[in-house]
Amino acid sequence: GFFSLFGDYSKAAAVGLFLFQSICSGIIALCLVILGTHLLGSTIGRVAGFIWAFYPTSIFYSVIHIWYSELAVMLLLLTTTVAVTAPSSPTFRWVTLLGGLSGLTVLTDSTIALYLPLLLLWMLLTRGVQPSRLVVMVAIWGITVGTVISPWIMRNWLVLGAPTLLK
């Protein structure tokens, strides 16, 4: 998208990608503040966000290498933040949001796919969701994830001859 918008291998595309990675890194810091505050207290949350914002390696990789890792980490932390901050009685909308973020995360890095169902089950079981409602919520989550990743799977089926998630 950046190359088609700013030109193939142009300086403008590189600046746009570095800016996008820096924004992703800022969202990571915000997620760390929210997660730290929710799980360990406000002081720990602020310290976690501050450390990430000024961690030399984080800054280095955000502005030196153009790669998908910042996006993958951001989506993973956004998904985890949605799961951790879920209300005591999660709604179907909340599970659908979690499914959409999970699908985007899987599209970015398919190795994270094993963690996401465990995160969903942890969220639902720690909130005391009834077994009958649990099954419906898992199904809604699965349908949402499937809907988000299905274009990529169909593309692979047409191009590679197999319905796979691999890049």
Side-chain angles (χ1 to χ4, degrees):
F2 281 94
F3 291 132
S4 64
L5 187 63
F6 296 113
D8 292 341
Y9 302 104
S10 67
K11 289 181 183 178
V15 169
L17 284 167
F18 287 136
L19 180 63
F20 176 72
Q21 287 188 162
S22 296
I23 291 168
C24 288
S25 189
I27 294 171
I28 289 170
L30 181 63
C31 286
L32 289 173
V33 169
I34 293 168
L35 286 170
T37 300
H38 193 333
L39 298 172
L40 302 168
S42 62
T43 303
I44 300 295
R46 287 189 206 124
V47 169
F50 183 81
I51 288 173
W52 180 263
F54 293 102
Y55 183 56
T57 306
S58 165
I59 296 168
F60 177 76
Y61 283 112
S62 292
V63 296
I64 297 298
H65 299 290
I66 296 174
W67 201 243
Y68 72 94
S69 57
E70 293 289 328
L71 177 62
V73 171
M74 181 197 71
L75 287 170
L76 179 63
L77 282 175
L78 277 173
T79 306
T80 305
T81 302
V82 167
V84 168
T85 60
S88 59
S89 179
T91 62
F92 294 120
R93 280 187 177 177
W94 203 268
V95 172
T96 304
L97 172 64
L98 188 65
L101 284 171
S102 298
L104 289 174
T105 304
V106 168
L107 285 176
T108 305
D109 189 353
S110 59
T111 59
I112 300 172
L114 297 174
Y115 164 76
L116 298 170
L118 297 174
L119 180 66
L120 171 73
L121 289 175
W122 172 84
M123 180 192 80
L124 295 174
L125 293 174
T126 58
R127 305 286 185 296
V129 175
Q130 299 298 321
S132 60
R133 195 162 185 236
L134 178 88
V135 171
V136 173
M137 288 189 157
V138 169
I140 289 172
W141 179 84
I143 290 168
T144 306
V145 171
T147 302
V148 171
I149 66 174
S150 63
W152 183 254
I153 292 173
M154 284 188 249
R155 178 255 177 215
N156 285 345
W157 198 348
L158 294 172
V159 173
L160 304 174
T164 166
L165 268 174
L166 300 176
K167 294 180 184 176

